[in-house]
Amino acid sequence: MTASQVQPDLPAPEPAQILSQAQMQFFIPATASLHERRPRTMKHGDSFAVFDHSGDAIAGPGSPEGLYHRDTRHLSHLYLTINGLRPILLSSALRDDNAILTCDLTNPDFAGGDGRVEVEHDLIHLRRTRFLWEGAVQERITIRNFDAEPRTVTVDIAFAADFADLFEIRGMTRLRKGVMNEPEVGEADVLLSYEGRDARTRETHLCFDPPPQELTHSHARFTLTVPPGERATLYMRISCERMPLTGEPLLRPFLKSLRDSMQALKASRARSATVRSSNQLFNEVARRSVADITMLSTDTEYGPYPYAGIPWFSTVFGRDAIITALEMLWLDPSISRGVLGYLAAHQAHEFDAAADAEPGKILHEVRHGEMAELGEVPFRHYYGSIDSTPLFVMLAGAYLERTGDIACLTSLLPNIEAALQWIDDHGDRDGDGFVEYGRLTDQGLINQGWKDSHDSVFHADGSIARGPIALAEVQAYIYGAWTAAEAIYAAFGNQERAIQYRARAQDLRTRFDAAFFDGQLGTYVLALDGEKRPCRVRSSNAGHVLFTGLALEERAAQVVGTLMAPSSFSGWGVRTIASTEARYNPMSYHNGSIWPHDNALIAAGFSRYGYRAQAARIFEGLFAAATYVDMMRLPELFCGFPRRRAQGPTFYPVACSPQAWSAAAPLSLVQSCLGLGFNVAGAEITLNEPALPRFLDELQLYGLVVGEAQVDIAFDRMGDKVVVKPMDRVGRARVVTVT
């Protein structure tokens, strides 16, 4: 796809709306805490759903709840009552594999006409069993009577669809919207639809079985008499498109879709190695991590692609997916193959200022909603990230090293060369030898590194840095891209190009150290601004310099020490910036918070330079944080307050959960602590001075693939030492331990 194809001729956005967007920079207003709601999230393909603990979606200002498809909310309200009252919540849980949401409810006291209790609470049990598959929520509601006599109950289900664009729900105000169509109400189904200004019709189709006694455009009513000890069952399907009415009971498609979804999950899990340990809490964290990555991954024609996170980022993101793939590469290389294939197919080929696109550049974000289609937000196919392109080349090199899949790299080679050419032609905007960013229009993102808040790049006095800005970690990714290019060209027998990129990487290493290392700070500066003034701020970005190997060996100890000092390491993890810095705020998005993926990359950097004990401390902090989180699920980020004895971390109000690169963080940390590497040509799995955090006495890896072989390995911690015990293997492979 060319960049000119990215933005078709569509109505221009309203001027007042452009101003609003530029001011807001697409931030997510924290009008309500997602953690307070503790939502239940589900996803399949391009659809996701957010429900409360009772299985409802409560409409209202700031509520993200509902069913979404391709960035449009197709169900904004769902509310179940029994005899006019909301049931009492007993429990609510997602299966460990995220396949099914089960909500157990019971009746409150039912009063008679004289005000006295006619039916006591806890006599009628309701179980809502729900899953999401192929753009439809399917639900079975079972009502069981535990009373000694028959009971007649009325179950009402209220519903609505606002067809709001995701960016509206995130807080943006639209000046003009499309038109709601007249609802179509049948005997057992309701069709709600909306004609967008982009000339697309969006539909929500609700079907019920058995047919309700009453059905309107906004609610269904069932009146049921349930004998003592017996059950009554209702089925409901909510689809993001009109479904054909076949007349068959909904039980049949419910069971078929459930079977298909379970089989798909089983097949996805089979791709990955398995992690087990002596710590049952960690086993839960690891299972949830794998389940969340599986749920967030959408199958594309190129393979699985992990969408960034629910609710705000359930779509293609370049940077997020690449980092997730890097974190998961040792465990499941197929994710990397899927990410590389998709991003290569959507690489920019032409200039498009509105999309921040330049030839060879790799995607930042894709959106499918009405506002994106109309150009009211620039993210239909948006390329405004400075790091996706070098990270793409890094991932290609890492995938080749992990798998030896030269056939895949052969097909990707033109895209890799285009990405490398983008670095040369467009990356260095001012000719100083470093790669900087600057948006092409005032509608693009101001900051285009992973810390993309408007105030995330600043000087020691707190003043905002002016661009073009050269971030420390971006130079590290350029170094990683060039070292990857060396390996790729060497694998293709092009030694001349390989030597060129090796020389360029070494030259960058020398120049970067001279420009970015600050002995007084004890670390690398955050960035250079447009006047080449260093942003003398202690930040987590320095850990990414270790991650790719850009840091000189003699700097590593000082950088590790600075990152693990109390001002940076809170006990839960490394803060995005140290508490000593001018803009430090532990409740901010990027200026003092703790991001699990950031910490996973920092720990990988520590491990690269031999600091596995410090990597294990990061692992311990994040694992401890996970034990305080609902469902043992690490969120996108949490606040950077210091760790207190017998208290959990402080949560960030609008953090996505699950978030792909956070879900992958615990699994990445396993690799970092073990010093785990692969030599495919030599059929070797290498373990370089392996360490285990204090919460793990034993660890087992099952089904670890190297080439055509598969190996199981056990690890036992003996004080500060780790004993490695190869177990079963299929095929020829060696486990090599370096001490």
Side-chain angles (χ1 to χ4, degrees), residues 467-646:
I469 290 170
L471 292 166
E473 80 274 14
V474 171
Q475 315 318 309
Y477 302 155
I478 299 298
Y479 177 83
W482 286 347
T483 55
E486 176 193 350
I488 291 167
Y489 283 116
F492 281 99
N494 190 336
Q495 293 300 327
E496 182 180 355
R497 294 290 298 275
I499 291 170
Q500 289 174 356
Y501 277 106
R502 182 193 311 160
R504 296 183 70 176
Q506 290 307 313
D507 175 65
L508 176 60
R509 209 174 190 217
T510 302
R511 291 187 294 103
F512 176 81
D513 186 76
F516 279 79
F517 189 77
D518 189 309
Q520 188 176 351
L521 289 180
T523 189
Y524 297 98
V525 299
L526 171 61
L528 303 182
D529 72 4
E531 298 176 359
K532 306 306 158 193
R533 294 186 303 152
C535 298
R536 299 186 66 253
V537 175
R538 294 178 182 88
S539 73
S540 64
N541 304 55
H544 297 228
V545 179
L546 300 176
F547 169 58
T548 68
L550 177 58
L552 299 180
E553 293 287 342
E554 59 266 30
R555 305 298 192 196
Q558 201 169 2
V559 174
V560 171
T562 299
L563 287 168
M564 295 305 290
S567 61
S568 286
F569 184 70
S570 73
W572 302 115
V574 176
R575 300 180 176 100
T576 46
I577 64 168
S579 60
T580 53
E581 305 308 317
R583 285 189 172 269
Y584 169 71
N585 175 358
M587 299 177 291
S588 71
Y589 198 49
H590 286 128
N591 289 339
S593 53
I594 296 167
W595 290 63
H597 90 278
D598 187 28
N599 276 262
L601 297 185
I602 292 167
F606 287 0
S607 180
R608 184 185 192 113
Y609 285 81
Y611 293 90
R612 267 171 281 286
Q614 288 82 354
R617 283 186 63 198
I618 290 178
F619 198 174
E620 290 164 6
L622 285 180
F623 168 69
T627 64
Y628 286 94
V629 183
D630 188 30
M631 297 190 294
M632 302 286 189
R633 172 184 279 164
L634 282 172
E636 177 186 13
L637 73 156
F638 47 91
C639 294
F641 291 106
R643 184 174 176 179
R644 306 294 185 191
R645 185 181 297 274

Side-chain angles (χ1 to χ4, degrees), residues 201-355:
T201 302
R202 293 169 173 86
E203 299 174 324
T204 302
H205 195 189
L206 299 97
C207 298
F208 304 92
D209 183 22
Q213 278 74 26
E214 296 180 29
L215 184 60
T216 72
H217 70 282
S218 62
H219 86 274
R221 171 167 291 176
F222 302 86
T223 302
L224 309 162
T225 299
V226 187
E230 298 297 324
R231 297 177 177 87
T233 304
L234 310 174
Y235 289 91
M236 175 173 61
R237 182 177 64 200
I238 308 170
S239 307
C240 296
E241 62 179 357
R242 187 192 300 259
M243 300 291 287
L245 299 176
T246 63
E248 69 173 344
L250 288 182
L251 169 62
R252 193 170 301 167
F254 179 92
L255 294 177
K256 181 183 182 301
S257 297
L258 181 58
R259 182 195 63 202
D260 291 346
S261 69
M262 300 294 283
Q263 288 177 344
L265 285 172
K266 184 178 180 180
S268 296
R269 289 195 299 271
R271 298 193 314 251
S272 173
T274 302
V275 180
R276 294 180 190 156
S277 78
S278 55
N279 187 320
Q280 292 306 311
L281 287 178
F282 176 71
N283 291 343
E284 290 184 38
V285 170
R287 280 195 297 268
R288 180 61 64 188
S289 292
V290 171
D292 284 348
I293 293 295
T294 300
M295 178 176 72
L296 290 168
S297 295
T298 293
D299 288 330
T300 74
E301 61 183 293
Y302 311 100
Y305 195 104
Y307 284 9
I310 298 173
W312 309 122
F313 308 121
S314 187
T315 188
V316 166
F317 276 81
R319 173 196 303 126
D320 297 57
I322 294 170
I323 289 176
T324 301
L326 286 168
E327 291 175 301
M328 293 291 293
L329 182 55
W330 72 275
L331 202 72
D332 184 1
S334 67
I335 295 174
S336 293
R337 186 171 60 247
V339 169
L340 288 167
Y342 184 97
L343 293 177
H346 294 83
Q347 188 174 31
H349 293 279
E350 298 179 6
F351 290 98
D352 186 339

